[in-house]
């Protein structure tokens, strides 16, 4: 059994995954403030808890995390404002005394590795786009594309508009969608509520979602041109809308591509928000 940990800016999720890819002992805790190394301390607590609960001796640990990750060193090289004081955190060194092998990857890369468990033989090239607080990307073709500084596929920074000072993720993230909702509604309307209203043919909800969907589609078109993958997966919390989400976005993609260019099959992730947990430990099951 392997310990899987997924570190986000808001929550840390974790569990123990067995050989049959079943998840046990799922936990979700608020990400602690990191000024005094709170995240590393919480990760150590989680590992010790699972070691005791599941009687694990020197367990392998897979970590998925927000930020730019040097996967060889096991170190956070850049996290920006998402998680303050996170740069330089080295999990491989810090966990050497309580764990066996420690593998660490960026959260989007981990999510893609988790999804690959479903695609091992059928598909050779997959791009995963996660839409949430921001927008992240990961690409796999024979291996993960990481880049010289482990910053490949940072697609949220694409499509910068000087007039509005906004990037792709400023327009196409779930955060951006929530801002659009607040502009148009006086009452509290969640993203789920908005989708429900739209599929009941509420004109206002449809207008908001279509405006947002065009922004998302524009980024997908850029991914298509740059990577030409077989499948483009959409992950993050929004992915639970599944077919509703795809039917909303897909009609706009060709608007941003040359005539008759075509695009990859668009799907939502099969494991939803748990993809990164499975991906964190996927290399242990190869």
């Amino acid at each position: 059994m392997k310990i899987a940990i997924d570190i986000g800016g808001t929550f840390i999720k974790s569990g123990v995954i067995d050989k049959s890819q079943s998840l046990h002992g799922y936990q979700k805790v608020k990400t602690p403030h990191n000024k005094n190394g709170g995240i590393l301390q919480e990760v150590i607590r989680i590992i010790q808890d699972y070691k005791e609960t599941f009687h694990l001796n020197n367990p392998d640990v897979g970590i998925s995390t927000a930020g730019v990750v040097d996967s060889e060193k096991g170190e956070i090289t850049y996290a920006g404002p998402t998680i303050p004081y996170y740069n330089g955190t080295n999990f491989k060194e810090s966990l050497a005394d309580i764990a066996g092998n420690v593998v660490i990857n960026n959260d989007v890369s981990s999510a893609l590795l988790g999804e690959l468990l479903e695609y091992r033989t059928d598909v050779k090239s997959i791009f995963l786009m996660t839409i949430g607080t921001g927008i992240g990307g990961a690409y796999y073709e024979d291996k993960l594309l990481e880049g010289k500084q482990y910053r490949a596929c940072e697609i949220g920074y694409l499509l910068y508009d000087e007039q509005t000072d906004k990037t792709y993720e400023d327009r196409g993230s779930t955060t951006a969608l929530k801002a659009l909702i607040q502009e148009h509604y006086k009452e509290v309307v969640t993203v789920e509520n908005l989708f429900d209203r739209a599929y009941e043919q509420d004109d206002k909800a449809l207008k908001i979602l279509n405006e947002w969907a065009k922004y998302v589609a524009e980024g997908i078109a850029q991914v298509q041109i740059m990577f030409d993958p077989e499948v483009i997966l959409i992950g993050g919390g929004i992915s639970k809308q599944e077919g509703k989400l795809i039917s909303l976005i897909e009609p706009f993609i060709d608007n941003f591509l040359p005539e008759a260019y075509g695009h990859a099959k668009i799907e939502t992730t099969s494991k939803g928000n748990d993809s990164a947990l499975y991906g964190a430990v996927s290399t242990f099951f190869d």
Side-chain angles (χ1 to χ4, degrees), residues 197-217:
R197 293 184 185 200
Y199 282 88
E200 291 170 0
Q201 301 305 307
D202 180 286
D203 288 340
K204 186 192 288 190
L206 281 168
K207 183 179 179 181
I208 294 168
L209 279 176
N210 281 325
E211 180 181 350
W212 173 77
K214 286 178 185 176
Y215 293 136
V216 177

Side-chain angles (χ1 to χ4, degrees), residues 19-213:
K19 289 182 179 179
S20 65
Q21 297 177 29
S22 295
L23 179 65
H24 307 273
Y26 177 83
Q27 295 183 30
K28 181 178 179 181
V29 298
K30 190 172 178 58
T31 303
H33 195 280
N34 197 49
K35 187 172 183 178
N36 296 310
I39 290 175
L40 181 58
Q41 293 171 31
E42 182 62 23
V43 167
I44 291 171
R45 183 203 66 76
I46 288 168
I47 293 171
Q48 298 285 30
D49 181 53
Y50 284 134
K51 286 176 71 173
E52 182 177 339
T53 302
F54 291 92
H55 309 291
L56 303 175
N57 181 32
N58 211 35
D60 293 331
V61 176
I63 297 174
S64 157
T65 180
V68 178
V69 178
D70 183 329
S71 57
E72 293 294 321
K73 293 182 179 179
E75 183 174 308
I76 308 299
T77 61
Y78 179 77
T82 308
I83 306 179
Y85 310 105
Y86 201 33
N87 295 357
T89 303
N90 190 304
F91 286 97
K92 281 191 176 182
E93 291 180 358
S94 300
L95 303 178
D97 293 338
I98 65 169
N101 296 311
V102 177
V103 173
I104 176 169
N105 277 298
N106 165 267
D107 51 359
V108 186
S109 295
S110 294
L112 178 51
L113 290 172
E115 290 298 313
L116 283 171
L117 296 171
E118 306 291 327
Y119 287 94
R120 285 202 186 278
T121 58
D122 298 333
V123 178
K124 303 301 180 186
S125 59
I126 300 181
F127 193 96
L128 171 64
M129 173 187 296
T130 57
I131 301 175
T133 305
I135 295 180
Y139 181 63
Y140 185 95
E141 186 171 351
D142 299 322
K143 64 178 183 178
L144 278 174
L145 176 65
E146 294 187 290
K148 175 70 174 177
Q149 299 182 73
Y150 299 92
R151 297 181 185 183
C153 305
E154 292 283 350
I155 60 169
Y157 301 135
L158 286 174
L159 300 168
Y160 175 73
D161 178 69
E162 188 175 6
Q163 287 188 332
T164 61
D165 192 31
K166 288 186 176 182
T167 60
Y168 176 43
E169 70 180 8
D170 292 328
R171 296 187 294 275
S173 64
T174 306
T175 304
L177 177 56
K178 289 176 180 177
L180 282 174
I181 294 171
Q182 289 180 346
E183 284 179 24
H184 290 84
Y185 287 98
K186 292 181 179 179
E187 73 269 30
V188 175
V189 176
T190 67
V191 170
E192 281 192 32
N193 293 154
L194 190 73
F195 271 89
D196 290 340
R197 293 184 185 200
Y199 282 88
E200 291 170 0
Q201 301 305 307
D202 180 286
D203 288 340
K204 186 192 288 190
L206 281 168
K207 183 179 179 181
I208 294 168
L209 279 176
N210 281 325
E211 180 181 350
W212 173 77

